[in-house]
Amino acid sequence: MGKSVLVLEGGAMRSLYTSGVLDVFMNNNIDIDCTVGVSAGALVGSNYVSNQKGRTANININYCKDSKYIGVGAIKNNKGLIGFDYLFGEIAKDNPFDEKEFFSTKKRFVTGVTNCITGKTEYFDKDLKNTYKLLQASSSMPLVSKIVEINGKPYLDGAIDCNVPIDWALDQGYEKIVVVLTRNKEYRKQPLSNKMKKMYNLVYKKYPNLLKTMYDRPNKYNETYDEIEKLERENRIFVFRPKNNVDISRLERDQDKLRDLYEEGIDEAEKQLENLKKYLNEVS
């Protein structure tokens, strides 16, 4: 096992920040041994592992107004607001994913998904049979996406149970941990509203453990952000995050906003590049 790991938060279209950071990594040959991501973090991370600079940004910025990707067309074809069949089909034909590089590289790639029965995160390494299904499941947000079945088990968004898989990275024993967040340092989640709880109850009443995890998500999310700040102060991890509040919805369709966030990720990574190299090369 390598010594370094890249930990990627989700956040749907907020992941344009992450794609900017990782494009700078690729421009400067920053090779992390393992990448672990949940939700949109997994999608962005797959393009880092396949070494395809600009692919995430090109797709999300250029197709965000296409209803077959996000909107009515996606509902018609995918029974959800995100058109995964379109993303992995027609969009991928115009923006090919380098499967050869992705599967042949020695870089490890791990996707986190939430098991609807247990309500807990499960982590899977890349494999030829299920990688696309895992990416879809990990990015399938509650209420707006359908449940994805893999090997007979129902899965949803990897960020439901674990918004940032920092504990997984620590448990795996990685010495150097680079974290990319999609929220600013001050951000914390508010408790779920009664309206949202009722909606979750209506849709996921078959999965009581999943509901319990959903109810507890704000607390767990905030605890994770607190833990990340502590580890950062101790110089045990290196963190990239937006400086200010990210005024972008999960399914944002404003191309200018998305482009600006992408550029922010690029700018921050370039500013921190030498510090990152120093951190990665330090002897623990």
Side-chain angles (χ1 to χ4, degrees):
M1 182 180 70
K3 72 173 185 177
S4 60
V5 61
L6 178 61
V7 178
L8 304 178
E9 182 177 14
M13 285 301 193
R14 292 192 301 274
S15 65
L16 264 295
Y17 176 85
T18 307
S19 66
V21 172
L22 299 191
D23 281 356
V24 172
F25 283 18
M26 287 183 270
N27 263 340
N28 292 274
N29 299 312
I30 303 295
D31 291 325
I32 309 292
D33 299 311
C34 173
T35 298
V36 58
V38 295
S39 199
L43 286 170
V44 179
S46 67
N47 291 317
Y48 169 71
V49 174
S50 66
N51 196 33
Q52 291 180 271
K53 186 186 73 170
R55 185 172 184 268
T56 296
N58 288 338
I59 289 174
N60 286 315
I61 293 173
N62 293 332
Y63 289 88
C64 66
K65 293 186 177 182
D66 188 333
S67 72
K68 288 183 289 184
Y69 182 34
I70 302 172
V72 176
I75 295 173
K76 179 180 178 181
N77 296 319
N78 270 157
K79 297 181 181 179
L81 281 175
I82 302 174
F84 289 105
D85 289 349
Y86 186 52
L87 172 62
F88 296 135
E90 190 172 331
I91 291 178
K93 288 180 182 178
D94 295 331
N95 304 267
F97 180 63
D98 192 342
E99 291 186 1
K100 183 177 180 181
E101 175 66 21
F102 180 79
F103 286 109
S104 65
T105 181
K106 292 183 180 179
K107 293 178 184 176
R108 188 181 180 192
F109 180 74
V110 180
T111 305
V113 292
T114 301
N115 184 313
C116 296
I117 296 173
T118 65
K120 301 298 181 183
T121 309
E122 294 180 9
Y123 294 95
F124 295 86
D125 280 272
K126 59 184 176 182
D127 70 82
L128 282 167
K129 181 181 178 183
N130 289 319
T131 288
Y132 288 117
K133 277 287 188 183
L134 288 165
L135 289 174
Q136 177 180 346
S138 188
S139 303
S140 291
M141 296 181 290
L143 302 180
V144 302
S145 300
K146 65 180 181 180
I147 289 173
V148 178
E149 188 172 294
I150 302 173
N151 296 327
K153 296 180 181 179
Y155 293 100
L156 269 178
D157 195 333
I160 296 172
D161 179 49
C162 178
N163 59 300
V164 188
I166 185 71
D167 287 341
W168 180 91
L170 292 168
D171 290 343
Q172 290 284 304
Y174 285 102
E175 299 171 20
K176 298 295 180 177
I177 302 174
V178 180
V179 181
V180 184
L181 304 177
T182 57
R183 291 287 196 182
N184 60 302
K185 192 171 186 178
E186 295 75 23
Y187 178 82
R188 293 297 186 273
K189 281 194 177 297
Q190 297 300 310
L192 284 181
S193 66
N194 289 331
K195 180 180 178 180
M196 187 61 69
K197 288 181 179 180
K198 288 178 180 178
M199 291 175 67
Y200 282 153
N201 269 323
L202 182 65
V203 178
Y204 302 111
K205 58 185 176 182
K206 286 174 52 180
Y207 303 106
N209 290 324
L210 179 65
L211 286 172
K212 183 179 178 181
T213 299
M214 287 173 164
Y215 296 160
D216 192 48
R217 184 170 185 249
N219 289 332
K220 190 169 184 180
Y221 187 104
N222 296 340
E223 288 171 359
T224 299
Y225 259 48
D226 290 343
E227 179 186 12
I228 286 170
E229 285 193 32
K230 178 177 180 293
L231 293 168
E232 187 179 19
R233 289 194 299 269
E234 296 170 351
N235 198 38
R236 294 176 62 189
I237 64 176
F238 195 100
V239 182
F240 291 92
R241 58 165 70 82
K243 293 298 183 184
N244 301 307
N245 181 51
V246 180
D247 182 26
I248 282 181
S249 67
R250 293 186 301 172
L251 302 177
E252 184 65 58
R253 305 183 78 174
D254 186 320
Q255 291 174 311
D256 290 334
K257 282 187 175 183
L258 295 176
R259 195 174 289 110
D260 287 346
L261 186 59
Y262 172 61
E263 294 291 340
E264 182 181 345
I266 290 174
D267 290 345
E268 185 62 23
E270 289 178 342
K271 289 176 184 176
Q272 295 294 332
L273 189 60
E274 293 307 313
N275 290 333
L276 173 65
K277 290 178 180 178
K278 181 180 178 182
Y279 168 78
L280 290 173
N281 291 322
E282 286 175 345
V283 177
S284 298

